Structures are given as C-alpha cells and as structure tokens.
Amino acid sequence: MTAKFSISKTVILLLLAAGVVLILYPLSWMLASSFKSYDEIFGSVWGLPSKWLFSNYATAWSKGVANYFVNSGIVTISTIAGVVLIASLCAFGLSRYSFKFDRAALLFVMGGMMLNPQVCLVPLYILLQQTHLHNTLLALILPYIAFRLPLIVLLIRSYFLGVSKEIEESAKIDGCSAFQIYWRIFMPMSTPIILTSTILIAYYAWNEFLFAIIFIDSEKYKTIPAGLMSFKDALSTDWGVLLAGLVMSALPLILLFIFMQKYFIRGIAAGSVKG
C-alpha cells in the first residue's frame, strides 16, 4: 500500500514539475531575450545575454508602450468596475428573491455564456459605427462588460447562495433596505469571489486582441495587445524591443495573480455552482 502510494505521489510530482517547466520556460526565455540585441537573440537562443540591454525597455516604453499601458489600464479598470457592480446586483436578485420568471432569467444569463464574441463581430461593428462609439475606449469597454457578465453573475450568485438567510433576516429587523443588505453585508462577505472575478475579468480585458484591432483605428486609443503589433515591421523587427514590450505587458497580470492567488483559489472553491 505504501509502495503504491509512493509511486502515485512520484508520478504526480513529476507531472507537476513538467507543468512548471512548460509554463516557466517560455516566460524565462522571453525575459532573457528581452535584454539581448537582435543578433544575439538568433545567435545565442538559449544563452544569457552577454550584455544586458536595459535600453530595450526604455525604447519600448518611448515607442508607445506607455500610452498603451494607460489605455489598457483604463479599459481594464472600467470593465472590472462595470462587471462587478452589474453582476453582483444581478446575482443578489437571482439568489435572494423569487419571482415569476426567475428560472427563465437564470437560463437567459447562462445562455450568454454560449455566445461566442467572434460571432457578434460584424453586428457589433455596425452598432458601434451607428452610435459613433467606434474608435473610442467605450468601443472596447462596453462589449467586454457584456461578454464577461454571464460567467461572473453565475460565480457570484453561487457564492451568495451560501450566505445564511438568518443574517439577511437580522438586517431586515434592524431596518436595512434591500440595497443596504446587498452593499453592507453581502459585498463585504463576498471578498474572495469578488477578487476571483476581478482576476478573471482583468485577464480577459487586458489581453483581448480581436476587438482591440477591429474597433480601434487610432494609435491614441490602442491597448497593449493591438499596440505591440506596430512594433513588428514587414521587413525588419527589433525583437529585443518587442520582447521587452511583451514582458512589460505580462508583468501586471503576473503580479496581480501572485498577490491574489490565495483569494482566487478560495473564491473558485466557494463559488462552485450551487442551486
């Protein structure tokens, strides 16, 4: 029994180690190559830089990454705020109130998860043109909010279902309105799932590429994924500068996940589907 357990444990550890290598290798290669010159990237693919070119980061920043960072930050923060606010209000209603079409409303929300954003590309483009939102940051923020809502509503609703009804009833006896119960009780108690939702939304909004290159034409409003495309020329590309831009674009999400991983795991576990 002990031998079998030891073998299975060893296999699991080997699989986990392989997963770590598969994840860390491309990241470490990208980080090391971002300090190399063009010739050294191709001449010494797996070696460390002979001369660490920190100027690649300064060049990338001055070539537009600073502006792309600001735009991505505005889009991501606005998307997070919009999705969390709307989704939590919707989840509160779906989890604490019974009404005639409550099941139909829940199915409607779940149906939104089956809608592929790429399928809506043409009608969305026409709609944004007609409403004069094309080539503005709202052209990204509003669709991002719409396509993230179904998943986040279900996650937060599942978490809200686990909140004791006695707490809600005690708040009503103390004279709290429905909104006060939502804002002062449910939201503070739901920090893990809110932070989990924040990570999921940020990952999507920060990295989304297709909408960013189609709905935005002006260099002024480009986000990081679309903006870095301008670093790649048809004839020659300064790969060191491009990789430096990629490192800077990945860093915020890596740091966000590192600092919030405890809450992310707790939120996913607590927000598993109920009801």
Side-chain angles (χ1 to χ4, degrees):
M1 187 70 178
T2 306
K4 288 182 179 179
F5 178 77
S6 179
I7 292 172
S8 61
K9 187 177 180 180
T10 303
V11 171
I12 292 172
L13 289 175
L14 289 174
L15 290 174
L16 290 174
V20 169
V21 171
L22 288 173
I23 293 170
L24 290 183
Y25 170 71
L27 290 175
S28 59
W29 179 87
M30 181 174 70
L31 179 62
S33 298
S34 68
F35 292 100
K36 295 179 179 180
S37 64
Y38 179 90
D39 294 332
E40 195 172 8
I41 288 174
F42 293 96
S44 178
V45 178
W46 291 286
L48 291 174
S50 58
K51 181 181 179 182
W52 294 77
L53 298 178
F54 291 93
S55 59
N56 285 345
Y57 284 83
T59 302
W61 189 259
S62 63
K63 284 183 68 174
V65 170
N67 183 53
Y68 305 150
F69 246 88
V70 172
N71 292 335
S72 289
I74 293 172
V75 170
T76 302
I77 292 171
S78 301
T79 304
I80 291 170
V83 173
V84 169
L85 179 61
I86 298 170
S88 59
L89 284 168
C90 182
F92 181 73
L94 289 173
S95 63
R96 312 314 288 190
Y97 295 98
S98 296
F99 49 93
K100 188 175 181 181
F101 300 107
D102 55 349
R103 286 293 173 183
L106 181 58
L107 288 173
F108 179 77
V109 172
M110 293 173 66
M113 296 179 63
M114 303 177 190
L115 189 62
N116 194 316
Q118 285 73 25
V119 174
C120 305
L121 196 59
V122 174
L124 261 178
Y125 184 84
I126 296 171
L127 181 62
L128 291 172
Q129 289 279 10
Q130 292 175 346
T131 54
H132 305 289
L133 292 176
H134 178 262
N135 203 34
T136 67
L137 292 181
L138 281 175
L140 300 180
I141 294 170
L142 296 179
Y144 289 176
I145 291 175
F147 285 109
R148 287 295 93 184
L149 273 176
L151 173 63
I152 305 305
V153 167
L154 293 178
L155 282 176
I156 299 178
R157 174 185 174 273
S158 296
Y159 196 93
F160 282 178
L161 287 172
V163 178
S164 173
K165 289 187 177 181
E166 284 75 14
I167 297 175
E168 184 180 355
E169 290 168 357
S170 298
K172 287 180 180 178
I173 292 172
D174 291 337
C176 289
S177 65
F179 183 79
Q180 287 174 327
I181 293 172
Y182 154 78
W183 188 253
R184 295 183 179 180
I185 298 175
F186 276 73
M187 290 301 283
M189 291 180 65
S190 305
T191 300
I193 197 64
I194 297 299
L195 293 178
T196 298
S197 300
T198 297
I199 294 173
L200 294 174
I201 299 163
Y203 178 80
Y204 173 79
W206 188 269
N207 291 316
E208 200 284 327
F209 178 71
L210 186 61
F211 286 0
I213 62 171
I214 293 177
F215 296 161
I216 301 293
D217 297 329
S218 172
E219 193 74 20
K220 179 181 177 182
Y221 297 114
K222 283 185 177 179
T223 55
I224 281 182
L228 288 176
M229 287 288 292
S230 63
F231 283 30
K232 191 174 184 303
D233 191 85
L235 297 177
S236 63
T237 300
D238 191 338
W239 290 103
V241 173
L242 176 58
L243 290 170
L246 290 172
V247 170
M248 286 190 284
S249 70
L251 191 59
L253 288 184
I254 293 173
L255 293 175
L256 179 68
F257 188 80
I258 289 173
F259 287 115
M260 290 189 176
Q261 60 177 325
K262 176 175 66 176
Y263 300 102
F264 181 78
I265 295 169
R266 282 175 56 194
I268 287 293
S272 57
V273 177
K274 303 171 189 171

